[in-house]
Amino acid sequence: MTPEEIHKLVNRQREYFATGATLPVDHRIDALRRLKAAILKHESDIAEALKQDLGKSSSESYMCETGMVLSEISFLMKHVRSYAREKRVPTPLAQYVSRSYVKPSPRGVTLIMSPWNYPLMLTLDPLADAIAAGNTAVVKPSAYSPHTSAMLQTIISECFSPDYVAVITGGRAENSCLLNECFDYIFFTGSQAVGKEVMRHAAEHLTPVTLELGGKSPVIVDQTAKLNLAARRIVFGKYLNCGQTCVAPDYVYCHESIRKELVKACIREIKRQFGMHPLENPNYGHIINRKHFERICGLLDPDQLVYGGQTDGEQLRIAPAIVTDVTWDDPVMQEEIFGPILPILTFSQMEEALEEINAHPHPLAFYLFTEDKKTVKYVTEHCAFGGGCINDTIIHLATTHMGFGGTGASGMGAYHGKIGFDTFSHHKSIVDKKTWLDLPMRYQPYTRLYDKLVRMFLK
């Protein structure tokens, strides 16, 4: 779309929002119901699109994308009426004969910019939250996942008028045009570099933002951990979607006494989950494009490689790899890997490990494998991170009852379920003051008696 067409689209959505058509809760539930029906109708088409873009199997596509979206929509349909209701709160004695309440209100015209790694879920989850909160939305999926982006355009155009929800495809030119527009809220999922640009443009209009970014999410494994189970869950989380997951374990930090055993356990699990020849496994995906394939290959140091790492340049596939004897100065530790390479580092004291992790930007996710409850308490209190798991990976984002989001360099804001509804809402604080009584103490002229009364109420 041209800049003029984008500008007209945003204005049409603003005019549509101004009519109040999105405010009734029944309208929101009906919109969610239509979206859910369209997803179910196109379930096989979605799986095929994800297969073409990322090589995902139909099972993985449903487990990590389609099913997650359906769960979010179903949850919102069940609870949105309660979420949208105004909530009465206590009134201070100084405001006697008043009713105080908080009224959730939609933000208005929103922009949702989604990435390529989970192109369906990371588009439709925030869209469902925006619809439930009563907003209109302009959706901008990634150009790197064209088949899924086309599928999203088909689904959304079947469900909604573009004055309500619209999809804009394209690349950087379209992104720039959108960011030059004035939205009431921007929800962005992607890299830290692009997130900075989004925030810079949003600041021009004082537009609030949610930034879902990433970072180097660590896994700590101490000497009390059940290593075989830890290896199984680490391998699942790391190599899911070929490592192209914002909350994938980026690296393992294990106690030096268990490194050899953990490496062996991880190798066994790779063989168990992906076979002896992962590149021949039809359920193992591929890297999104040539640029990312070559970047990841450049992080593989043959001197550090202890298992895997075979590549297929024609199919853009990289076998699960494990590297050891890695230092914090190595290239693989200088950026978020976002690929199927697992560095394993060691520590001798937990305090040493936490000091090193805290010296780096706050990660989006944090995983700890231990059987010691004191260690759990100590680590979760002394590390800053978006969210995480104890004795597992990934699964903390698969719930509608907790918010998902980052902190610091890994992002700001959160969504899913009630928190997603709140993200796309402004909560108006209102005092309804009655007119049959008017206490005079706040009005001039002030007297000593009124001063005593004010001090009695406010202390």
Side-chain angles (χ1 to χ4, degrees):
M1 296 179 75
T2 66
E4 293 78 16
E5 290 172 327
I6 290 174
H7 184 69
K8 288 180 181 178
L9 173 64
V10 174
N11 282 342
R12 288 203 310 272
Q13 287 209 354
R14 196 166 299 284
E15 291 169 1
Y16 180 74
F17 179 77
T19 68
T22 66
L23 294 179
V25 175
D26 286 340
H27 177 278
R28 307 181 199 183
I29 294 173
D30 180 65
L32 292 170
R33 185 180 292 113
R34 280 182 279 143
L35 181 58
K36 182 176 181 178
I39 294 168
L40 291 170
K41 173 185 172 183
H42 291 285
E43 184 181 330
S44 60
D45 299 323
I46 291 169
E48 180 58 30
L50 291 168
K51 180 74 172 177
Q52 292 185 60
D53 284 333
L54 288 151
K56 293 185 180 183
S57 67
S58 59
S59 297
E60 183 178 325
S61 293
Y62 190 87
M63 176 178 67
C64 299
E65 301 230 35
T66 309
M68 295 276 287
V69 173
L70 292 173
S71 178
E72 180 78 4
I73 294 172
S74 298
F75 184 88
L76 290 168
M77 288 170 61
K78 182 178 179 181
H79 295 283
V80 66
R81 201 174 297 280
S82 170
Y83 295 163
R85 193 175 297 131
E86 62 186 44
K87 307 294 192 300
R88 187 165 182 170
V89 298
T91 297
L93 186 59
Q95 304 298 333
Y96 182 61
V97 294
S98 302
R99 183 174 74 93
S100 301
Y101 61 98
V102 177
K103 186 177 185 66
S105 301
R107 292 186 179 272
V109 181
T110 65
L111 172 62
I112 297 170
M113 306 180 76
S114 58
W116 51 262
N117 59 325
Y118 288 87
L120 187 88
M121 179 185 69
L122 296 179
T123 302
L124 296 186
D125 263 18
L127 175 60
D129 294 342
I131 290 171
N135 302 278
T136 70
V138 176
V139 175
K140 174 58 181 66
S142 174
Y144 286 174
S145 49
H147 298 92
T148 310
S149 294
M151 196 68 252
L152 286 164
Q153 190 165 42
T154 297
I155 290 171
I156 289 173
S157 63
E158 284 184 8
C159 296
F160 310 115
S161 159
D163 293 352
Y164 182 23
V165 181
V167 176
I168 295 178
T169 56
R172 292 183 179 179
E174 288 75 13
N175 289 344
S176 296
C177 289
L178 285 167
L179 290 174
N180 286 329
E181 294 293 327
C182 181
F183 288 92
D184 297 304
Y185 201 83
I186 297 176
F187 189 102
F188 170 80
T189 307
S191 69
Q192 293 175 354
V194 180
K196 291 177 182 178
E197 285 299 302
V198 170
M199 196 169 184
R200 183 174 67 82
H201 281 84
E204 294 294 325
H205 302 288
L206 296 178
T207 301
V209 299
T210 288
L211 301 179
E212 297 292 344
L213 307 178
K216 295 187 74 64
S217 298
V219 181
I220 289 183
V221 185
D222 76 3
Q223 57 271 46
T224 71
K226 295 181 178 179
L227 291 188
N228 290 330
L229 183 60
R232 188 174 198 188
R233 292 175 175 177
I234 290 168
V235 165
F236 164 77
K238 176 63 183 182
Y239 302 112
L240 182 71
N241 198 26
C242 297
Q244 299 169 115
T245 304
C246 58
V247 291
D250 192 88
Y251 62 95
V252 170
Y253 217 178
C254 73
H255 192 270
E256 58 189 9
S257 65
I258 60 169
R259 192 194 77 167
K260 289 184 179 180
E261 190 178 350
L262 181 61
V263 169
K264 290 178 181 178
C266 286
I267 292 173
R268 285 196 302 270
E269 276 303 322
I270 291 173
K271 294 176 181 178
R272 177 179 178 175
Q273 295 184 36
F274 302 101
M276 297 298 294
H277 305 286
L279 298 186
E280 298 175 9
N281 183 341
N283 293 322
Y284 183 67
H286 61 74
I287 306 305
I288 186 68
N289 57 32
R290 175 70 54 184
K291 174 185 174 183
H292 284 278
F293 175 83
E294 293 178 352
R295 178 189 64 81
I296 296 166
C297 288
L299 298 177
L300 274 172
D301 185 340
D303 293 334
Q304 298 170 336
L305 185 65
V306 295
Y307 185 78
Q310 299 85 358
T311 62
D312 180 345
E314 185 176 341
Q315 300 294 324
L316 302 182
R317 304 180 90 194
I318 302 173
I322 295 175
V323 294
T324 58
D325 299 320
V326 175
T327 71
W328 289 94
D329 295 325
D330 289 324
V332 76
M333 295 302 293
Q334 298 304 303
E335 60 181 277
E336 184 178 5
I337 297 169
F338 224 66
I341 303 174
L342 180 64
I344 298 181
L345 295 81
T346 61
F347 64 87
S348 57
Q349 299 293 329
M350 182 63 72
E351 292 78 8
E352 164 202 337
L354 298 191
E355 182 179 351
E356 188 65 64
I357 291 170
N358 286 332
H360 293 81
H362 301 329
L364 180 57
F366 187 101
Y367 306 114
L368 171 64
F369 286 85
T370 181
E371 294 296 305
D372 186 344
K373 292 183 179 180
K374 290 183 179 178
T375 297
V376 171
K377 185 175 186 296
Y378 180 80
V379 171
T380 54
E381 285 180 350
H382 287 80
C383 269
F385 53 91
C389 303
I390 308 300
N391 292 317
D392 211 337
T393 63
I394 301 289
I395 61 168
H396 64 288
L397 62 81
T399 174
T400 50
H401 294 280
M402 293 194 300
F404 171 72
T407 181
S410 59
M412 61 182 68
Y415 67 120
H416 287 176
K418 173 66 161 57
I419 292 177
F421 176 91
D422 291 342
T423 289
F424 283 96
S425 301
H426 169 64
H427 290 77
K428 299 173 181 174
S429 299
I430 301 171
V431 176
D432 180 3
K433 191 67 176 284
K434 305 310 175 186
T435 57
W436 55 268
L437 178 66
D438 190 35
L439 298 177
M441 67 186 69
R442 62 175 170 169
Y443 303 115
Q444 290 207 42
Y446 300 130
T447 67
R448 184 169 297 178
L449 173 61
Y450 287 173
D451 184 60
K452 288 181 177 179
L453 290 172
V454 168
R455 291 175 181 273
M456 181 177 70
F457 282 121
L458 302 177
K459 61 182 179 180

